[in-house]
Amino acid sequence: MKIEDCIADFQIPQYLHYMDNAATSLIPQQVIASMNEYDQQYRANVGRGMHRLTRVATQRYQDAHDSISGFIGGKEGVTVFTKNTTEAINIVAAGLDWQPGDKVVTTIVEHHSNLLPWLRLRQKGIEVTIINPGHDGIFDIETFDKAITANTRLVAVSHVSNVLGTIQPIRKIAALCKERGAYFLVDAAQSVPHFPVNAQQIGCDFLCFSGHKMLGPTGTGVLWMRDTVYAVISPLILGGGTVDDVTTEGYTLTDGYRQFEGGTPNISGAIGLAQAVKYLENFGTDSICRHEQKLTERLLAGLAEINNVTIYGPKSLKDRIDVVSFTIDGIHPHEIAYLLDEKAAILVRSGDHCCIPLMRYLGLENGTVRASLYLYNTLEEIDLLIETIDETARMVQA
Ligand SMILES: Cc1ncc(COP(=O)(O)O)c(C=O)c1O
């Protein structure tokens, strides 16, 4: 099937131009059907019984873990289902046995979800170093080289910025971390949905991402941990499903992902997420990425032609994905987003994108407008976006 034909699987793109995918993507009918099938035909709790429904549900829930770990080249690690990227990062921040004198290195580009959990560690006496990127939000590896010192316990970096679309040099950062004995956490919320990501090849210790940004249901996310590392993380939540044995004196945690998924999990969400991965694999993340690059190229070229418009982030396609932030002189980003919806049914996001420190760093008090694309967006939609922005910019100038 051609990528363009995928639109038939989604309802919203039939009547709206949805370009807010960095926040949450749309969901194809195959994913909805897989969740309905669970609820209607084999709904039962998982891992807790012998009857026929629980056996089917447990198998599908296990299969979901396997297909997601296969998707990210993470078979040799532990794939934990969480409710989103935020929870995944918090599990690591709360679960590591921090020692006085430990240091965390992170960046000013991070989403609040990959910043606040580290900032809070300052209360425990952990040093947190926040480094700044160079031009267009790209980090020079030298900056990491200087910041990652002998006492650095963990480095936390987003693979792709949710504001600038910048792809960071994470393999080089991983090599530095390995050399200096620091753990490396990658916030892959904006990369896993858009291009092939292989946790093993990156060389990171933790990879966090959200199912709802990659055609999956809301309330789904993933924390992948390297198998040699996950034992250092103590689970955030204990209870049903997390233990092998319990006495009145104590308990023994079970192996693998189950110790991090206390209580009844989001079973239909996991099944839906596995279906979303299958859907993405049918097209191939390589092809999806190429499709998105065409859209980005057209959008960047079109915006560059409009007076009064400033584009943020790298111009070169090799350094970025299809998350495009811009402003128009003399008009508030929220007003632009409102007008795009009113005039042309184009849905984009505006504001600080949960990156207040980055906005301050860029001197953008009101934030930006952000168009973020996905496989169901088309070149015709990009042309409509450019045309409507052009009209809006002219209206301000007049
Ligand atoms: C780079 C990045 N990290 C983390 C998050 C948080 O994701 P969630 O809200 O699914 O936890 C987002 C959401 O936009 C993001 O873009």
Side-chain angles (χ1 to χ4, degrees), residues 79-260:
T79 300
V80 177
F81 286 159
T82 61
K83 60 174 193 279
N84 45 39
T85 304
T86 307
E87 188 182 41
I89 296 170
N90 273 275
I91 290 173
V92 177
L96 205 61
D97 62 330
W98 297 101
Q99 305 297 322
D102 282 349
K103 172 167 133 179
V104 171
V105 174
T106 188
T107 87
I108 195 115
V109 176
E110 304 311 310
H111 187 282
H112 295 161
S113 294
N114 195 28
L115 192 61
L116 272 54
W118 314 120
L119 291 184
R120 181 159 66 176
L121 290 175
R122 283 187 176 147
Q123 293 164 10
K124 289 190 180 171
I126 307 303
E127 189 188 332
V128 180
T129 299
I130 299 172
I131 58 173
N132 296 337
H135 186 57
D136 283 342
I138 302 174
F139 281 91
D140 191 333
I141 195 67
E142 296 291 306
T143 319
F144 281 96
D145 195 15
K146 285 201 191 104
I148 305 172
T149 48
N151 64 334
T152 304
R153 191 85 192 282
L154 185 136
V155 177
V157 179
S158 51
H159 195 173
V160 171
S161 158
N162 64 305
V163 174
L164 304 171
T166 323
I167 304 171
Q168 300 301 355
I170 52 167
R171 284 202 197 191
K172 288 186 184 159
I173 304 169
L176 272 181
C177 290
K178 197 165 176 199
E179 187 188 295
R180 316 254 156 106
Y183 295 123
F184 184 32
L185 178 143
V186 175
D187 171 352
Q190 300 296 345
S191 58
V192 169
H194 297 282
F195 56 84
V197 172
N198 185 302
Q200 213 69 41
Q201 282 171 11
I202 291 169
C204 59
D205 299 294
F206 307 101
L207 190 84
C208 310
F209 54 100
S210 299
H212 66 92
K213 296 183 197 290
M214 50 190 280
L215 312 183
T218 55
T220 62
V222 175
L223 166 61
W224 177 86
M225 298 186 262
R226 181 177 292 287
D227 52 359
T228 50
V229 160
Y230 88 92
V232 299
I233 302 295
S234 98
L236 196 58
I237 289 174
L238 291 180
T242 60
V243 284
D244 277 340
D245 193 18
V246 190
T247 66
T248 49
E249 308 304 315
Y251 54 84
T252 334
L253 288 176
T254 192
D255 275 347
Y257 70 81
R258 286 184 187 82
Q259 68 173 273
F260 299 97

Side-chain angles (χ1 to χ4, degrees), residues 297-319:
E297 191 171 27
R298 175 89 67 112
L299 178 54
L300 291 175
L303 290 181
E305 295 287 304
I306 307 174
N307 276 339
N308 279 4
V309 167
T310 309
I311 310 168
Y312 302 91
K315 309 289 175 294
S316 155
L317 290 182
K318 80 171 182 14
D319 295 322

